[in-house]
Structure formats: structure tokens, C-alpha cells
Amino acid sequence: MELPSRKVLEGTARAPHRAMYKAMGLTDEDLNRPMIGVSSTCNEATPCNIHLGQLAQSAKRGVSDSGATPREFTAIAVSDGIAMGHEGMKASLVSREIIADSIEVMMRAHGYDGLVGISGCDKSLPGTLIAMARLNLPSIFVYGGTIMPGEWNGKQVTVQDVYEAVGAYDSGKMTLQELLSLENVACPAAGSCAGMYTANTMASVSEAIGMSLPGSASPPAESERRHEICYNTGKSVMSLIDANIRPRDIMTYEAFENAIMMANAIGGSTNAVLHLLAIAKEARVKLTLNDFERIRKRTPHIADMRPGGMYVMLDLDKIGGVPVILNALLKKGLLNGDVMTVTGKTMKQNIESMTFDLSQGKEKVVRRLEEPISSEGTLKILRGSLAPGGAVVKVAGVKSKKFAGRARVFNSEEEAFDAVSKRKIVEGDVVVIRYEGPKGGPGMREMLSTTAAIVGQGLGEKVAMVTDGRFSGATRGFMIGHVAPEAMVGGPIALVKEGDQIVIDTAKSKIDLLVSKAELARRAKKWKPIKPRYTTGALAKYASLVQSATVGAITTPVGS
């Protein structure tokens, strides 16, 4: 392939450019090699990212040993866990776009020939993959790794337990000392949240879509294997350059089908829907919500992962990681095995080159396909009079298939959380949180503080929630998000009144507001959107550009 770096570094006119590099210690020999960007989202904002600078050094050694020259740079990353439950969460989804844009800008500005992208927290994974698809330069994604679970009262715990413990404390089911003791042990070290929440979901998806080395998703953040994976990732980019294999050769329609299948098989985060739609847009693949529902119906749910199940990423790693699931799906004839991957081999070739020990003892982290947790996948798309454009619910661990109740309407997450914490939400309520969509929030906040408080109070399947915002991967229960059209653009969710009846039927994929069309038309005539919450700065810019959740809440024009 023609190397972009040659246009930056070759010829007499580029003497000043070479001089700048030599100021940083590079030699003519270094500059005659391909230049590889090594991007990480390292920062001190979150345990998910705090160690990524160290992993970047391992990746850089791999790049150097392959005969290329690494150039390290960083992008931002928001801690969803720390941003949760207050204004800060509005910046979370916005950060996905900033991460993608900053990686793109760095790569274009300096003419790097390939990319190793290392990330750890929820939005940094899709942000990095979006940039790779957009740039279409030889690239490999590598995950920063999962945190180890904590131990409390003889059981594994994660940050999900702490969020739910807040609700238990508010309802008198837990003492303050118990809450504090749980808080002290739930997150023991570096790494992304331990369950099959958004980060681990997207890490699993990165293998399924072919953009990560096989087996790279599950090893813990602070294991030696994680450094080895980063070294091997750095070393592998040159092979892609030599073979001229680019992200859009890998991220095809069939690869996205594999990614959707993985998210459903593992009971993954609802955010996977939003992020895969956005990545597909940049990969120039036409993906819709209908594709998600089609793939879900033929994908068995086989991994018993938190929050809907029992196990964490470490448990999956102990039995062989994501390739165990890919192998099972391939053998059943469900996976597209002929798709290209970053190894330069097909998915089928990768899997057939690996050996699997399928004995799991007493623990059944991954079920046999003949005995799945459920015969269908877990990320269900709902439609109906309340969400004509679609909505998403994760049915993993949810026993009921139908919920009917009275609407309790709130125009912000703060209002809803206040009502929950004061025990004003009771059995049979449908908590409606609106004006938290991509434009209305702006930023489509996750609602884990509120959903976890509801679960902690023992109302997990006795109360439903409906929002044009999002949910954390740690959310469980009758929680419906991504409602479209959102309230800010006049969607039906904007017209709901206190006490209206709402019916959710996951078996029929329906979500309906039991109000006549005539009454809704009358309400629509009187409706006015709320005033924009931000008129300057990044959030105002995002609100002016962002598209519907049905296309991934992207900021790139839909028609481009």
C-alpha cells in the first residue's frame, strides 16, 4: 500500500518535518520506516483507563519489533461510573464522538500509516472503532481489560452491587456500615467494570467483528497476558500494511451480523445497539434496527453473565474467553465464518487454529447450544404507539414478558431519582423519564443510579421504566431505553401524562401508550419543546448535530 507518511517525510521540502521528529530523538532510520499511531485513552479519571499508558508501551515495543516506528498519543475518556447520576453523564455519549474525532485528527494531521487503538471505558471502545472505520487505515483494536471482581460476604461483587446497595440503604434493607464496607471492596484495582456491562460487551464485540486479536477481550487488566496481547497487537499491524487489509475489508455487513450475534449470546449491554449502528455508519455498512431483531431471533443466549446472570468477565476468561462462544456459534452454523479478521485469516480459520477445553466443572458460564438460557437473544427491539421509531430492552434475567401500569412522568433523571429515593414510586408504576434523549439531554444519559435504586428497593420487576435516554450495561429489570422519536422532537413520549396506561409486551415486541389517536393529536397541538439546556459549548454543538438513537446517535450527517 502507498504509505501516507511518505508524503510527510520524504523530499527536501520535508526537511523541517524531519527536524521536528529528530528533536524528539528519532533517527533517519526511524523515519524511513512506516509510522504507526498508538492511541490510548489513558487518564486518571477512571480505573478503566489509568493503566493504559503502560499497555501502550507494550504495544509500542511490538510495533518497533515489527519494523515500524510507533508514535503515541492519547484521547479523552469519560468515566461513566463517576459521571453517573448527575449532570456529568450528559458528557458521556458526547465523548464517543470527541474520541473518534480526536483520533481521526491526529492520524490525518501526521500522516500515520496504521493504528493501534487501546481503550478501556464504555465510550472509548466504540469511539476508537468509529475512528478506525472512518480512517480506513490498517488498524487493530485492543481492550484495556476487565477489573477483578471484589469479594464481600463471601460472594463476588462489582460496582453494580454498590449502585443497587444505595436503593437497599434508602429502603432500610442495608445499614450505612454495610454500604461502606461494600463500597470499599467492590472495585479492587485497575480495569473496566467486571460484569458483561458496556465495556466488556464492546470488547467481546470487537473480537466478533474481527478487529481484535482472538482471545484478547477477556484477560484481566493487570495480568501479564494483557501486556503480551498489546505487544502482539503492535507487532501485527505491519502484517495488515503488507497485505493492505483495512478496517472496511473486515467490518462488512456479515461481520456486523456476527457482532450482533455476540451481543445477544452474552446478554450484553443495550448500548451495543447504539454503538454498532454508529460504527456501521462509518464503515459504510447499511445496518438498521430490523437487522438487530432478525439476528436476535436466531441467536441463543448462552453466556450466564452479570447483570442478568451470575458470572463476570474473569469467569469467562478462565474457560477460554470469547473464542469459546464464537466456536459454539460457528459449529452450529450461525456465525459467518468466512469474514476477514485482523489476523489476515478468516474467522473460521482463527477458531479452527485454537483448542478449547469445554469442561467447566460446576460453573456453567457458557451453556451448551442445546441447553441455552434462552432460545433467543437478549437485546429486543420494541415498537408501538409510544415508540414508533423503536426502543431497546435487555430481557436477560427478566422473568416477566408483559408489564402494564400507570405512567409516572418526569422531565429529567434528577426528578425521577428524587421520587425513587423518597419511596414515591410503587408497584405498578411505569417511570417515564423524557427529555433525556440525544438532543433533549443532550447526550442521552444512562440511568443506572435510578434503575439500580429501584432494583435495590426490591421493585425490579414490579416497576417498569421507559426513557428516551439510555441505560448502563449494569442495568437490569423491566427497563426500556432509546425510545424514538425522542421527546425533544415531539415524539409520543413527550405527550404522556401522569396516570396514562402503558403496556409493554416483550413477547410481541410492543410498547404502547393506551391513549386514543384523537387525544394524542389534541395534546400534540398544545405541545412545545423545553428550552435547550445548553446554548454554548460542546453540549450545545452536539445537540445541534446529533441524529436519532435509531441511527446510533451519530453526529455525521445521515445522508453522507
Side-chain angles (χ1 to χ4, degrees):
M1 61 173 281
E2 184 181 350
L3 298 179
S5 63
R6 297 310 93 194
K7 294 180 180 179
V8 178
L9 293 171
E10 289 185 349
T12 56
R14 298 296 183 248
H17 305 61
R18 294 190 293 272
M20 296 287 284
Y21 274 113
K22 289 175 180 178
M24 295 182 280
L26 272 67
T27 65
D28 286 325
E29 182 182 359
D30 296 325
L31 298 178
N32 285 330
R33 294 174 159 193
M35 307 293 282
I36 307 298
V38 178
S39 165
S40 85
T41 52
C42 179
N43 63 32
E44 292 185 339
T46 167
C48 315
N49 297 288
I50 195 166
H51 62 302
L52 298 188
Q54 300 169 21
L55 295 183
Q57 305 317 306
S58 296
K60 287 166 66 180
R61 285 193 293 274
V63 170
S64 295
D65 288 350
S66 75
T69 298
R71 303 311 297 156
E72 182 183 357
F73 63 91
T74 59
I76 66 160
V78 166
S79 170
D80 280 13
I82 296 172
M84 196 74 68
H86 57 89
E87 184 186 26
M89 181 46 71
K90 293 176 184 289
S92 172
L93 190 57
V94 177
S95 75
R96 184 189 73 180
E97 310 308 301
I98 296 172
I99 292 163
D101 290 351
S102 63
I103 294 173
E104 176 198 359
V105 165
M106 286 294 290
M107 293 292 292
R108 291 195 193 281
H110 303 103
Y112 297 148
D113 303 311
L115 173 63
V116 174
I118 310 170
S119 57
C121 204
D122 293 10
K123 307 310 171 295
S124 61
L125 281 79
T128 302
L129 287 165
I130 287 170
M132 289 175 171
R134 186 184 297 169
L135 289 161
N136 203 33
L137 291 167
S139 305
I140 307 182
F141 175 83
V142 59
Y143 181 40
T146 182
I147 197 172
M148 299 291 281
E151 185 173 328
W152 187 70
N153 290 349
K155 67 176 184 177
Q156 286 187 340
V157 291
T158 72
V159 73
Q160 171 197 346
D161 297 279
V162 187
Y163 274 104
E164 292 181 5
V166 173
Y169 171 73
D170 287 341
S171 60
K173 296 180 179 180
M174 178 179 279
T175 67
L176 182 58
Q177 186 56 45
E178 287 173 323
L179 177 60
L180 180 60
S181 67
L182 173 59
E183 169 192 327
N184 287 340
V185 300
C187 300
S192 299
C193 299
M196 194 53 74
Y197 312 144
T198 303
N200 281 326
T201 297
M202 293 307 298
S204 302
V205 160
S206 75
E207 278 197 49
I209 208 167
M211 285 299 295
S212 297
L213 295 183
S216 64
S218 62
E222 296 195 317
S223 67
E224 263 313 304
R225 288 162 59 214
R226 181 55 56 192
H227 282 276
E228 183 181 345
I229 287 165
C230 287
Y231 174 85
N232 290 335
T233 298
K235 199 169 183 180
S236 298
V237 175
M238 269 304 296
S239 298
L240 296 180
I241 291 175
D242 290 340
N244 196 20
I245 297 174
R246 299 168 183 257
R248 291 181 207 154
D249 300 322
I250 295 167
M251 290 193 277
T252 61
Y253 182 81
E254 292 76 17
F256 277 97
E257 288 187 314
N258 288 348
I260 295 169
M261 191 171 294
M262 174 59 64
N264 278 283
I266 60 179
S269 168
T270 51
N271 284 312
V273 178
L274 203 69
H275 297 327
L276 283 169
L277 287 167
I279 298 166
K281 170 65 180 176
E282 298 293 352
R284 301 180 183 176
V285 170
K286 292 183 178 179
L287 199 67
T288 71
L289 290 179
N290 292 335
D291 293 308
F292 283 86
E293 190 63 5
R294 174 177 56 83
I295 297 296
R296 183 198 66 78
K297 287 179 179 178
R298 63 185 185 91
T299 304
H301 175 205
I302 56 174
D304 190 19
M305 307 295 290
R306 297 191 67 170
M310 293 181 60
Y311 299 106
V312 296
M313 196 66 158
L314 177 65
D315 298 313
L316 180 61
D317 183 61
K318 287 177 180 177
I319 66 162
V322 171
V324 171
I325 300 168
L326 291 171
N327 179 56
L329 296 171
L330 179 68
K331 283 188 172 181
K332 192 68 173 179
L334 297 172
L335 199 72
N336 296 314
D338 294 331
V339 293
M340 180 57 63
T341 72
V342 290
T343 65
K345 299 177 181 178
T346 67
M347 181 68 70
K348 183 179 180 181
Q349 289 171 330
N350 288 341
I351 294 170
E352 289 179 343
S353 70
M354 304 174 79
T355 56
F356 300 95
D357 179 5
L358 300 179
S359 59
Q360 299 179 60
K362 293 181 181 179
E363 295 181 344
K364 296 294 182 184
V365 182
V366 177
R367 306 280 186 88
R368 295 171 61 244
L369 281 171
E370 293 75 20
E371 300 174 343
I373 300 166
S374 172
S375 61
E376 294 186 351
T378 57
L379 297 177
K380 180 161 278 204
I381 307 301
L382 307 180
R383 284 189 169 88
S385 60
L386 185 53
V392 182
V393 62
K394 179 167 63 177
V395 296
V398 178
K399 297 174 183 177
S400 304
K401 295 185 182 299
K402 191 171 183 177
F403 191 99
R406 57 193 169 274
R408 300 296 309 281
V409 183
F410 304 94
N411 286 346
S412 71
E413 184 192 5
E414 286 87 353
E415 292 176 17
F417 182 78
D418 184 62
V420 172
S421 63
K422 291 178 179 176
R423 311 293 306 279
K424 292 181 179 180
I425 301 302
V426 298
E427 183 174 346
D429 284 348
V430 179
V431 179
V432 177
I433 306 179
R434 63 191 181 192
Y435 294 105
E436 291 287 7
K439 287 185 176 293
M444 211 178 175
R445 276 196 285 189
E446 292 179 358
M447 307 289 178
L448 180 59
S449 292
T450 307
T451 61
I454 288 171
V455 171
Q457 290 180 9
L459 295 171
E461 292 201 31
K462 298 174 182 177
V463 165
M465 182 183 290
V466 177
T467 180
D468 52 9
R470 297 181 297 129
F471 296 123
S472 163
T475 289
R476 59 185 175 130
F478 237 115
M479 313 296 177
I480 291 86
H482 307 196
V483 169
E486 63 172 293
M488 196 66 173
V489 299
I493 193 171
L495 309 179
V496 181
K497 288 187 175 181
E498 191 83 6
D500 283 349
Q501 289 293 302
I502 293 173
V503 176
I504 304 157
D505 190 334
T506 60
K508 295 181 179 178
S509 300
K510 294 284 288 179
I511 179 167
D512 288 312
L513 176 63
L514 301 188
V515 175
S516 70
K517 290 183 180 180
E519 173 60 19
L520 285 178
R522 282 192 290 270
R523 293 181 188 182
K525 287 182 179 179
K526 297 178 181 179
W527 173 81
K528 292 181 181 179
I530 63 170
K531 291 182 179 179
R533 287 168 169 148
Y534 299 85
T535 56
T536 61
L539 295 183
K541 184 191 299 181
Y542 178 86
S544 71
L545 293 172
V546 71
Q547 305 294 318
S548 169
T550 60
V551 292
I554 57 174
T555 55
T556 303
V558 172
S560 65

